[in-house]
């Protein structure tokens, strides 16, 4: 067999393999082990394939929220290391207090200890930055344009969709990546 025919054969084989993996009921390549011997992907292949796609979007949000928490904490604590939490809007502080009470009741869950900002959502982080006293005093010089905050607010629904175990469209996944690129362009990690 000459090299052109071999290359064509390989290309067709790879295309066919990719197509077969998208067919309903086909076990995905990545295993999802719930014990040493039980691969859920063999029993629930379609759900595991959806989970693989959702995992990429979830990872983006995990990184973006962690990055924004660090950014907010750094900016507020540089301004007032001892009392930075007082710069957080009252409604966010109240929500975090409720979550702390709930976590305190669930000591049996073996959760890592977390700081106050770890209990905030993406929407709450944006509201901290956008709070009128925080914006002018701490964030305007760093972020420059509230349009970035608005773009981030637009993906909060996508974040909630992923965090509540639903999939999103490729378009929404790309929107999340664009918002991250915009943040990193303005406030480099």
């Amino acid at each position: 067999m000459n090299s052109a025919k071999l290359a064509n054969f390989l290309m067709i084989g790879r295309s066919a393999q990719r197509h077969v993996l998208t067919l309903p009921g086909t076990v995905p390549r990545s295993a999802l082990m719930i014990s040493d011997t039980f691969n859920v992907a063999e029993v629930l292949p379609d759900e595991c394939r959806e989970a693989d796609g959702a995992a990429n979007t979830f990872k983006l949000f995990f990184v973006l929220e962690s990055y924004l928490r660090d950014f907010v904490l750094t900016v507020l604590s540089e301004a007032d290391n001892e009392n930075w939490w007082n710069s957080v809007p009252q409604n966010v502080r109240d929500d975090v207090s409720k979550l702390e009470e709930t976590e305190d009741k669930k000591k049996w869950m073996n959760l890592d200890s977390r700081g106050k900002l770890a209990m905030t959502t993406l929407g709450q982080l944006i509201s901290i930055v956008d709070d009128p006293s925080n914006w002018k005093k701490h964030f305007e010089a760093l972020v420059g344009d509230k349009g970035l905050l608005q773009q981030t607010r637009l993906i909060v629904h996508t974040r909630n969709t992923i965090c509540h175990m639903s999939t999103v469209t490729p378009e929404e996944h790309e929107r999340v990546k664009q918002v991250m690129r915009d943040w990193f362009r303005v406030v480099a990690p």
Side-chain angles (χ1 to χ4, degrees):
M1 186 180 285
N2 69 30
S3 51
K5 285 184 178 182
L6 179 60
N8 189 37
F9 176 77
L10 290 173
M11 182 184 73
I12 291 170
R14 286 184 181 150
S15 295
Q17 186 179 32
R18 278 193 301 272
H19 178 69
V20 166
L21 287 172
T22 65
L23 295 175
T26 304
V27 176
R29 288 183 184 170
S30 57
L32 182 59
M33 305 301 292
I34 60 171
S35 73
D36 290 340
T37 59
F38 192 80
N39 178 6
V40 177
E42 293 173 356
V43 180
L44 299 168
D46 297 334
E47 291 82 352
C48 288
R49 189 178 304 102
E50 284 184 14
D52 282 343
N56 289 325
T57 306
F58 179 84
K59 286 191 268 185
L60 291 173
F61 278 110
F62 188 97
V63 170
L64 178 61
E65 283 191 38
S66 296
Y67 164 74
L68 289 176
R69 282 187 184 97
D70 289 344
F71 173 65
V72 167
L73 179 60
T74 299
V75 170
L76 293 180
S77 60
E78 281 178 1
D80 186 352
N81 192 38
E82 296 296 318
N83 301 304
W84 67 268
W85 187 243
N86 294 334
S87 296
V88 173
Q90 188 62 50
N91 64 322
V92 175
R93 288 187 284 169
D94 291 345
D95 288 347
V96 168
S97 289
K98 288 176 192 170
L99 289 172
E100 286 176 323
E101 289 172 18
T102 301
E103 281 200 0
D104 197 41
K105 292 176 187 174
K106 299 191 182 291
K107 291 179 182 172
W108 56 269
M109 287 184 67
N110 193 22
L111 298 170
D112 289 338
S113 66
R114 302 189 293 168
K116 291 184 178 299
L117 278 183
M119 296 184 186
T120 57
T121 65
L122 179 59
Q124 290 170 326
L125 290 167
I126 295 307
S127 73
I128 294 168
V129 174
D130 197 24
D131 181 74
S133 60
N134 286 337
W135 177 255
K136 283 287 182 197
K137 193 173 180 182
H138 305 296
F139 294 103
E140 184 176 31
L142 299 169
V143 178
D145 181 10
K146 284 193 175 188
L148 182 56
L149 303 180
Q150 186 57 32
Q151 290 303 313
T152 308
R153 277 190 186 94
L154 292 175
I155 65 169
V156 167
H157 180 72
T158 303
R159 180 250 189 228
N160 294 340
T161 300
I162 283 295
C163 290
H164 291 197
M165 307 310 140
S166 296
T167 58
V168 298
T169 64
E171 179 182 8
E172 286 305 306
H173 180 81
E174 289 303 316
R175 187 184 322 270
V176 174
K177 290 181 2 183
Q178 183 61 54
V179 168
M180 288 182 74
R181 284 190 299 268
D182 293 343
W183 269 102
F184 296 163
R185 196 175 302 115
V186 173
V187 185

